[in-house]
Amino acid sequence: MNDEFTDQDVARLLAWGRMLLGVFALVAPRRFERMWVGDAMEGTPSHMATRGLGGRDVAIGIGILKSMEQGGRVRGWLEAGAVADASDALGTLGAWGELPKWKSALFLVVEAGSAYVGMKTAETIDA
């Protein structure tokens, strides 16, 4: 039995993780915001932005899974997700002094890590 993750396994994990967080942001923006940045974001405009980010992540996750299911190229979807994750990491860095340090550090690791894993997987998945 092979215990190693394949590129397809990693792509599925990235897609499902992205979709789960995206759905959470779409259906419960206040709770998502509180988890993400605490009380720093509050009000209708931030809820709109959070839902937009959630929709982005659901769309990218669906794109990854549908491309895999249909035998299409997955690379572009993984790259789009990696760019989205990298921009989230830049946003975290930009707000570093305004958020609790432990939250900033945790989210930066997740965001940058997801961007890195997504790009590395994109390099080889369609080969």
Side-chain angles (χ1 to χ4, degrees):
M1 182 170 149
N2 186 356
D3 289 337
E4 292 185 30
F5 279 106
T6 66
D7 288 340
Q8 288 74 19
D9 294 332
V10 173
R12 274 188 203 89
L13 285 171
L14 288 170
W16 281 107
R18 179 174 299 285
M19 289 189 309
L20 287 172
L21 284 174
V23 167
F24 180 30
L26 279 167
V27 300
R30 285 184 184 92
R31 292 183 78 187
F32 186 89
E33 291 164 11
R34 208 166 292 119
M35 176 192 75
W36 190 15
V37 296
D39 293 327
M41 287 175 70
E42 201 47 53
T44 301
S46 66
H47 303 333
M48 289 170 51
T50 299
R51 284 192 169 113
L53 289 172
R56 169 200 79 180
D57 285 334
V58 169
I60 293 170
I62 289 171
I64 291 169
L65 294 176
K66 291 296 279 181
S67 289
M68 291 176 70
E69 177 185 302
Q70 295 171 352
R73 297 189 54 79
V74 181
R75 180 180 183 143
W77 287 106
L78 288 169
E79 290 170 337
V83 169
D85 293 335
S87 68
D88 291 343
L90 286 173
T92 297
L93 285 172
W96 191 265
E98 301 172 43
L99 303 174
K101 295 294 180 249
W102 70 270
K103 275 190 178 184
S104 295
L106 174 66
F107 279 94
L108 184 61
V109 166
V110 170
E111 294 157 350
S114 293
Y116 176 79
V117 169
M119 286 304 282
K120 292 307 278 183
T121 304
E123 290 175 3
T124 56
I125 194 161
D126 290 330

